[in-house]
């Protein structure tokens, strides 16, 4: 019976793998078309400044997040297709499209929203993009085409990516030379650590949501956030707390000195039109004496 069960389990497993492969293959073909047909679009999540008095600065920045309006499947999220795009060589084209769309929206907000316009635009970069030659030139051209001040663009990389070798470091330094800001995304989940932060040419550390989720109930995680903020500060970097969902979590990360926050408490990712509304209906940031 055990053998029969094992065989049966294998059949189930094999079918599962086959279905996955078909799904991936299908998405891969569809993804090529998606780029040409304009099925990819960006949503934006506010990144708010956490002020000392407990209020927030809504115009601190926004992060662009890619979405795919699939003709049959509906909205597909990046966790389902960024990996596929990397494997089949489409990530460069997707990354460029996302950056161009986000820069165009950002430039329009700067023209139209005055003091309510976000001051920083964050865009994610994948590992495969950082391996590509000519990345700096393409980023520079897209910024120029949209009249972006270099300091208003932040490119986000993940820890595993940043821990790579010499080529990646050179690429990061090339981006820095353009005046672009760099952020280390999902900090705390990968292999690099507080002791190697100083090796990376980043301006900002984004503390992963998993720490923030536990911050209000676990003293251990609160201490880890505190330590990260201290080390980042000592290196001249600022910090963003990711995935803030409750006022309690916001209070803890503020008390520990995080400069900015992002999460459903403030807003979910919104369409370009909806975030415009979110930005302009808000009270203007308090004037600092
Ligand atoms: P990320 O850069 O760390 O982005 C934050 C993710 O957390 C987003 O998921 C966002 O919707 C989600 N999030 C924000 N606040 C909360 C919260 O309070 N609670 C919870 N549960 N989730 C929250 P999303 O949009 O699904 O993106 C997932 C990841 O996909 C991103 O993580 C980023 O690594 C990658 N990604 C997104 N857009 C792009 C892109 O244009 N290019 C590349 N290469 N990667 C992208
Ligand atoms: Mg990010
Ligand atoms: Mg993140
Ligand atoms: Mg994340």
């Amino acid at each position: 019976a055990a053998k029969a069960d094992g065989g049966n389990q294998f059949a189930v497993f094999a079918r599962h793998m086959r279905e996955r492969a078909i799904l991936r293959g299908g998405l891969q073909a569809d993804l090529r078309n998606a780029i040409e047909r304009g099925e990819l679009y960006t949503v934006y999540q506010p990144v708010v400044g956490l002020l000392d008095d407990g209020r927030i600065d809504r115009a601190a920045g926004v992060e662009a997040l890619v979405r795919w309006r699939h003709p049959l499947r509906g909205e597909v999220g990046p966790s389902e297709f960024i990996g596929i795009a990397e494997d089949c060589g489409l990530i460069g084209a997707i990354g460029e499209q996302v950056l161009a769309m986000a820069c165009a929206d950002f430039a329009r907000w700067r023209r139209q929203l005055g003091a309510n316009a976000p001051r920083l635009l964050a865009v994610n970069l994948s590992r495969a993009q950082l391996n590509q030659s000519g990345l700096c030139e393409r980023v520079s051209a897209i910024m120029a085409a949209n009249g972006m001040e270099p300091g208003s663009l932040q490119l986000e990389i993940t820890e595993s990516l940043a821990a790579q070798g010499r080529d990646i470091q050179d690429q990061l330094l090339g981006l820095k030379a353009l005046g672009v800001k760099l952020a280390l995304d999902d900090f705390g989940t990968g292999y690099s650590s507080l002791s190697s932060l100083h090796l990376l040419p980043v301006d900002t550390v984004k503390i992963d949501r998993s720490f923030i989720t536990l911050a209000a109930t676990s003293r251990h995680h609160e201490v880890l956030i505190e330590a990260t903020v201290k080390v980042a500060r000592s290196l001249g970097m600022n910090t963003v707390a990711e995935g803030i969902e409750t006022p309690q979590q916001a209070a803890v990360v503020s008390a520990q000195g995080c400069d900015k926050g992002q999460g459903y408490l403030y807003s979910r990712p919104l369409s370009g039109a909806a975030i415009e509304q979110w930005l302009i209906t808000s009270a203007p940031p308090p004037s600092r004496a």
Side-chain angles (χ1 to χ4, degrees):
K3 199 176 176 196
D5 272 346
N8 193 27
Q9 269 173 24
F10 179 77
V12 169
F13 176 73
R15 194 175 69 226
H16 175 73
M17 292 307 285
R18 200 159 56 239
E19 280 166 1
R20 271 186 60 121
I22 291 167
L23 186 66
R24 272 182 83 88
L27 279 181
Q28 196 164 340
D30 292 353
L31 200 48
R32 273 178 213 287
N33 294 324
I35 298 169
E36 284 150 31
R37 293 179 190 156
E39 290 168 6
L40 300 176
Y41 62 103
T42 48
V43 292
Y44 299 92
Q45 187 177 36
V47 182
V48 305
L50 301 171
L51 305 176
D52 290 339
D53 61 5
R55 284 187 293 171
I56 58 167
D57 172 5
R58 290 197 178 209
V62 295
E63 177 171 2
L65 298 159
V66 69
R67 298 289 183 267
W68 177 10
R69 198 178 289 107
H70 190 285
L72 300 175
R73 293 170 209 265
E75 186 177 286
V76 181
S79 53
E80 288 178 69
F81 68 87
I82 291 293
I84 297 174
E86 290 185 324
D87 292 346
C88 65
L90 291 173
I91 192 66
I94 290 176
E96 263 185 70
Q97 227 178 47
V98 167
L99 185 64
M101 291 190 287
C103 287
D105 282 335
F106 184 80
R108 188 165 39 78
W109 296 328
R110 300 282 286 197
R111 285 195 303 274
Q112 296 176 351
L113 303 183
N116 290 313
R119 292 188 297 279
L120 193 69
L121 171 68
V123 178
N124 294 283
L125 271 192
S126 85
R127 164 199 301 272
Q129 281 178 279
L130 263 196
N131 281 328
Q132 287 174 346
S133 61
L135 174 72
C136 291
E137 288 77 2
R138 287 193 296 278
V139 168
S140 171
I142 291 171
M143 282 195 303
N146 291 286
M148 293 264 300
E149 297 160 45
S152 59
L153 179 66
Q154 166 173 295
L155 295 176
E156 304 195 349
I157 59 172
T158 60
E159 279 191 79
S160 55
L161 199 162
Q164 303 292 308
R166 192 70 249 157
D167 292 353
I168 299 264
Q169 281 280 337
D170 288 346
Q171 190 87 279
L172 295 177
L173 293 174
L175 291 168
K176 288 292 307 170
L178 294 175
V180 170
K181 303 263 190 263
L182 298 178
L184 187 56
D185 213 337
D186 304 341
F187 183 78
T189 58
Y191 292 103
S192 70
S193 62
L194 282 178
S195 61
S196 53
L197 252 191
H198 73 282
L199 298 171
L200 298 167
V202 299
D203 307 276
T204 297
V205 176
K206 298 187 78 167
I207 304 170
D208 190 67
R209 174 161 63 89
S210 55
F211 291 86
I212 312 309
T213 304
L214 295 166
T217 49
S218 151
R219 179 70 192 137
H220 174 67
H221 287 82
E222 187 178 351
V223 169
L224 287 172
I225 293 169
E226 183 182 13
T228 304
V229 171
K230 281 200 175 124
V231 172
R233 265 212 190 131
S234 73
L235 295 168
M237 302 170 182
N238 56 54
T239 47
V240 179
E242 295 194 277
I244 300 175
E245 295 184 350
T246 69
Q248 290 75 21
Q249 291 163 0
V252 171
V253 301
S254 281
Q256 295 308 340
C258 287
D259 303 294
K260 294 180 195 171
Q262 188 174 353
Y264 296 171
L265 174 65
Y266 308 111
S267 171
R268 289 183 178 255
L270 301 171
S271 71
I275 199 155
E276 230 168 272
Q277 213 52 46
W278 189 91
L279 290 161
I280 59 176
T281 52
S282 68
S287 57
R288 268 160 282 192

